[in-house]
Amino acid sequence: MKHKTIIEPFKIKMVEPIKMSSEEERIEYLKKANYNTFLLKSDEVIIDFLTDSGTSAMSAEQWGGIMIGDESYAGSRSWLKMEAAVKNLTGHEYVLPTHQGRAAERIIYGYLGGKGKTFISNTHFDTTRANIEFSGAEALDIAIPESNDPSLIHPFKGNIDTQRLEELINEKGAENIGAVILTVTNNSGGGQPVSMKNTREVSAICKKYGVLLLLDSCRVAENAYFIKHREEGFENKTYEEIAQEMFSYTDGSAMSSKKDALVNMGGFLSLRDKKIADACTNLLIITEGFATYGGLSGRDMEALAIGLKEVFDPSYLEYRIKSTAYLGNKLHEMGVPVMLPIGGHAVYIDAKKLYPHIPVNEYPGQALACELYTKAGIRTVEIGSVMFGKYDENGELIPAPMELVRLAIPRRVYTQSHIEYVIETFDEILKTKGQTVGVKIVEEPEFLRHFTAKFEKVETDNVVA
Ligand code: F0G
């Protein structure tokens, strides 16, 4: 028989207790955290959907690998395994291990960036943008226009606008383009996939102008799932083959392995060009560690090599994508405005639509994140004007194109009943939405303000009990 229920394709061998809390306690915890979910303690959280990064449950095989990690400073066995796994996947000749994605980004964008350079992406993730801007370069997002309409159904909303890409290269001058970066899946644009066709087209444009094409590949396995099931010609390819083909069109890649390599820490930079790889290796050794461990322990590299294979297991990927879609589609059916179609690693709620009475300068996304925490201990993150807003010369907010809240789902961590608990919470969110109030920023840093900004409720006594 063909079952409708997609079960978790694993058994639980070890458990981590969740500390339960009451709504009264959470109101106090949130106030102490200045209404910023990043400032909560994990013990104050029941369901942690803050991120899918570094939060995966490792497999028995990965934990087994941890025990045989080779901690040699140079030429570690575990490094050789990791290097082989990365080369097999990317086809890139040079592999540089880093402690996480942004370390790879700092190295490559520090090297390619600088004043006068422009980077072009479907959407730069926040650390990618920050590393580029920190180098003095500019970062432009040009996903297809469909990506800005949360309710529009499109199979590959993560695609780059290729016409705009070519225009921009001509406008800026090819010699001033640091790189084109395809982020798969497009995290900040709603976890939406990029098609192989778009990748081929972007690659052809980059080749025509002699511009580097890099893959931000942290969710490349999830992206491969969508290609196999949505794009013609890939039905009979394995997920790994699809990912390999995608890498084949690129000159390099930065991967935060904390996502699709199913590890708690790790990353890499992979490159085709020796000159760039040599320069980056210098920076790696100065700032991360020797070339055969970067910022990683031998055991981390061992687990990473195993995870990079496990993630392409068809039963894992089917469970992963379908369980995310289960949550998203249930919320959609209930009338919660979600970004459609549902992405791979997360469900994104359109907070602007949910709370039309909260103006963007009172951050509707942050308001929803606060409500989810207070009502159920669910920790999420705003991906909107708190994360991407800027100020004009007069100090007025230039809002982000969308006000989203991300429910990022850790890999292999939560069960169906955890998800049902989350769905139930949204009943209450919908019932009380009219009484939800916005927030204002009372303190913020210059870069990546969402991590540490402090907020106040616009009307302090309006938290709904
Ligand atoms: N690129 C993308 C697309 C990402 O989603 C992330 C991290 C990074 C790069 C940076 O990697 O954290 O290992 O330094 N995203 C996490 C998230 C933090 O929650 O989406 P990192």
Side-chain angles (χ1 to χ4, degrees):
M1 107 184 229
K2 180 115 180 82
H3 284 90
K4 273 208 320 251
T5 312
I6 307 290
I7 63 166
E8 289 86 2
F10 47 79
K11 297 184 285 182
I12 296 166
K13 185 173 278 200
M14 201 189 283
V15 296
E16 183 177 356
I18 293 174
K19 198 161 174 283
M20 303 305 282
S21 55
S22 67
E23 191 159 337
E24 290 69 38
E25 285 170 328
R26 291 192 296 267
I27 288 171
E28 283 311 306
Y29 295 153
L30 190 62
K31 203 188 275 172
K32 260 201 269 150
N34 296 291
Y35 300 96
N36 184 336
T37 51
F38 280 102
L39 303 179
L40 287 164
K41 300 185 181 93
S42 65
D43 273 352
E44 295 165 349
V45 172
I46 294 177
I47 304 281
D48 206 345
F49 282 171
L50 186 68
T51 178
D52 63 319
S53 181
T55 52
S56 301
M58 289 204 293
S59 67
E61 198 184 334
Q62 284 177 299
W63 280 109
I66 294 271
M67 298 307 291
I68 57 165
D70 174 3
E71 304 303 338
S72 302
Y73 190 97
S76 151
R77 229 175 13 250
S78 304
W79 157 246
L80 295 176
K81 280 192 203 169
M82 171 176 162
E83 186 189 33
V86 174
K87 275 191 184 178
N88 168 58
L89 177 64
T90 62
H92 299 151
E93 178 63 23
Y94 304 98
V95 183
L96 285 67
T98 61
H99 79 276
Q100 63 182 91
R102 71 197 69 179
E105 291 171 345
R106 176 175 45 77
I107 291 171
I108 186 71
Y109 303 128
Y111 175 68
L112 296 174
K115 215 169 161 23
K117 295 279 179 185
T118 299
F119 289 79
I120 307 170
S121 178
N122 39 357
T123 314
H124 294 84
F125 181 66
D126 57 352
T127 59
T128 321
R129 169 175 291 279
N131 272 297
I132 289 169
E133 291 178 350
F134 191 72
S135 83
E138 66 172 346
L140 305 178
D141 295 337
I142 54 156
I144 52 170
E146 290 88 336
S147 75
N148 276 333
D149 180 351
S151 56
L152 191 116
I153 303 274
H154 182 290
F156 292 105
K157 258 178 160 173
N159 284 352
I160 272 195
D161 182 339
T162 47
Q163 193 187 331
R164 186 81 193 104
L165 174 63
E166 202 154 358
E167 280 166 16
L168 270 176
I169 295 176
N170 282 317
E171 221 170 89
K172 303 276 174 186
E175 67 286 2
N176 297 321
I177 307 295
V180 173
I181 306 163
L182 265 183
T183 309
V184 298
T185 55
N186 191 21
N187 184 7
S188 314
Q192 301 293 326
V194 174
S195 71
M196 196 69 86
K197 180 166 177 280
N198 190 246
T199 310
R200 287 179 189 140
E201 287 168 3
V202 170
S203 166
I205 294 172
C206 288
K207 283 212 169 73
K208 178 171 159 195
Y209 292 95
V211 169
L212 279 182
L213 175 58
L214 303 177
L215 201 63
D216 179 340
S217 59
C218 58
R219 299 182 181 87
V220 69
E222 292 171 4
N223 200 87
Y225 180 94
F226 290 114
I227 290 181
K228 186 176 166 91
H229 297 277
R230 290 185 187 167
E231 193 166 351
E232 227 185 290
F234 293 93
E235 304 78 6
N236 300 319
K237 292 250 160 74
T238 68
Y239 296 116
E240 197 177 23
E241 285 165 351
I242 293 170
Q244 283 164 331
E245 180 177 338
M246 189 160 244
F247 279 109
S248 77
Y249 301 121
T250 65
D251 301 296
S253 141
M255 184 193 201
S256 166
S257 306
K258 300 169 74 169
K259 284 85 171 172
D260 271 356
L262 300 169
V263 288
N264 304 121
M265 194 51 72
F268 63 81
L269 184 61
S270 63
L271 293 160
R272 259 187 227 292
D273 183 83
K274 181 163 186 324
K275 185 165 159 269
I276 303 176
D278 285 347
C280 289
T281 302
N282 275 337
L283 295 172
L284 177 79
I285 296 173
I286 295 168
T287 59
E288 281 281 291
F290 184 60
T292 63
Y293 70 87
L296 294 169
S297 308
R299 53 181 171 270
D300 293 334
M301 298 192 284
E302 194 78 33
L304 197 161
I306 298 166
L308 218 45
K309 292 207 164 71
E310 276 181 5
V311 76
F312 290 104
D313 170 17
S315 13
Y316 162 74
L317 271 180
E318 184 182 25
Y319 141 78
R320 171 72 178 157
I321 303 298
K322 290 202 173 157
S323 59
T324 304
Y326 175 83
L327 170 61
N329 290 330
K330 280 270 164 166
L331 297 184
H332 177 54
E333 284 160 24
M334 284 162 68
V336 179
V338 292
M339 174 127 194
L340 294 172
I342 305 302
H345 67 298
V347 174
Y348 292 73
I349 316 284
D350 182 351
K352 210 194 269 182
K353 208 163 180 184
L354 179 68
Y355 298 138
H357 61 289
I358 303 181
V360 285
N361 63 1
E362 290 178 11
Y363 306 105
Q366 196 66 23
L368 174 59
C370 290
E371 284 293 284
L372 282 167
Y373 176 71
T374 311
K375 290 197 161 47
I378 301 166
R379 173 153 72 170
T380 57
V381 63
E382 190 259 19
I383 301 199
S385 292
V386 172
M387 195 179 267
F388 293 119
K390 301 237 155 139
Y391 296 109
D392 66 14
E393 314 83 71
N394 306 321
E396 291 292 315
L397 178 76
I398 308 169
M402 294 191 273
E403 304 297 332
L404 303 175
V405 170
R406 184 181 73 169
L407 281 61
I409 309 188
R411 295 170 180 75
R412 306 191 289 208
V413 170
Y414 293 111
T415 63
Q416 177 83 13
S417 70
H418 292 119
I419 299 297
E420 299 296 348
Y421 171 91
V422 174
I423 292 168
E424 189 185 329
T425 306
F426 272 91
D427 259 336
E428 188 64 18
I429 294 282
L430 286 173
K431 265 187 227 144
T432 55
K433 65 179 185 173
Q435 298 137 44
T436 302
V437 296
V439 297
K440 60 179 182 211
I441 297 181
V442 291
E443 215 184 293
E444 62 182 297
E446 194 184 341
F447 287 102
L448 300 175
R449 68 175 179 173
H450 55 287
F451 286 136
T452 51
K454 294 181 177 168
F455 302 87
E456 269 170 22
K457 290 238 162 192
V458 170
E459 290 166 41
T460 44
D461 58 353
N462 214 353
V463 179
V464 183

